[in-house]
Amino acid sequence: MKYRLYILLILFLTGRIWADQFYIGGGFSSVRLNSDHPSINSQDGAGYHVFAGTKYERWAVELSASGGLSFDTGETPGIYYPEDRAEYGNLVLGFKRYFEHLNNSQLSPWLGAGASLHFIAWDTYYYNVDGYGFSISGGADYLMTPDWFVRGDVSYHDFSSDDTYDYGPYDGSATQFNVSIGYLF
């Protein structure tokens, strides 16, 4: 799995050669995390969201990362670590289909899909729950100036994970709302 991610990352970085535009951005994220892991269950919170992508006509390849959601955990199964705090984050490599090109219209709605990695790390103990899955998203970019845009989007992530000691698999999902600002190169 790790080598596939490296290959996709290389393709993303070399995509700048054939792209019409390159963009970066960041902002705030609101996340609803659900897991059948007994220490996690359902959690809500806020965090950050950053992204970078390349566009060619109405298609884009984008790499995004979100994190910062911190929450209280219960006792862990199997190894019985006591209650703690944990951090959640994700990394998504995906494709987007724009319905209006940002150079032709101020408002450009889009739909996206991709592969995702999810990380939940305990603060005090050596215990992680991580895995991979898929993500679907939808949103719109609003061009404020020729170089700056505002993005609003919602993403749904579905993933399967194991813990540090190979207990699992645990099914998880996350719904994420992002508000970001970006810059076109």
Side-chain angles (χ1 to χ4, degrees), residues 28-32 153-155 175-179:
F28 299 100
S29 181
S30 174
V31 178
R32 170 84 171 157
D153 66 273
V154 62
S155 298
T175 305
Q176 184 173 330
F177 299 96
N178 303 311
V179 176

Side-chain angles (χ1 to χ4, degrees), residues 122-145:
W122 267 237
D123 288 349
T124 307
Y125 301 98
Y126 177 68
Y127 189 75
N128 300 315
V129 176
D130 46 28
Y132 58 92
F134 70 90
S135 297
I136 56 173
S137 58
D141 295 350
Y142 180 77
L143 195 61
M144 297 183 306
T145 70

Side-chain angles (χ1 to χ4, degrees), residues 46-173:
Y48 63 87
H49 179 72
V50 294
F51 58 89
T54 59
K55 282 177 74 174
Y56 179 71
E57 294 179 4
R58 293 182 184 214
W59 290 93
V61 176
E62 185 173 291
L63 182 65
S64 66
S66 299
L69 170 61
S70 181
F71 57 91
D72 292 325
T73 66
E75 184 178 283
T76 59
I79 56 169
Y80 304 109
Y81 285 141
E83 295 177 356
D84 196 5
R85 288 196 59 79
E87 311 289 328
Y88 167 75
N90 63 52
L91 181 67
V92 179
L93 181 62
F95 295 93
K96 291 191 178 352
R97 169 68 163 107
Y98 284 84
F99 296 102
E100 291 289 335
H101 199 286
L102 269 180
N103 292 341
N104 300 337
S105 173
Q106 275 192 301
L107 184 64
S108 183
W110 51 265
L111 292 174
S116 56
L117 297 173
H118 300 268
F119 313 95
I120 303 169
W122 267 237
D123 288 349
T124 307
Y125 301 98
Y126 177 68
Y127 189 75
N128 300 315
V129 176
D130 46 28
Y132 58 92
F134 70 90
S135 297
I136 56 173
S137 58
D141 295 350
Y142 180 77
L143 195 61
M144 297 183 306
T145 70
D147 298 328
W148 291 95
F149 65 93
V150 174
R151 172 179 286 180
D153 66 273
V154 62
S155 298
Y156 174 77
H157 312 284
D158 189 78
F159 60 97
S160 179
S161 56
D162 293 323
D163 69 10
T164 305
Y165 303 103
D166 291 328
Y167 289 104
Y170 302 107
D171 291 325
S173 66

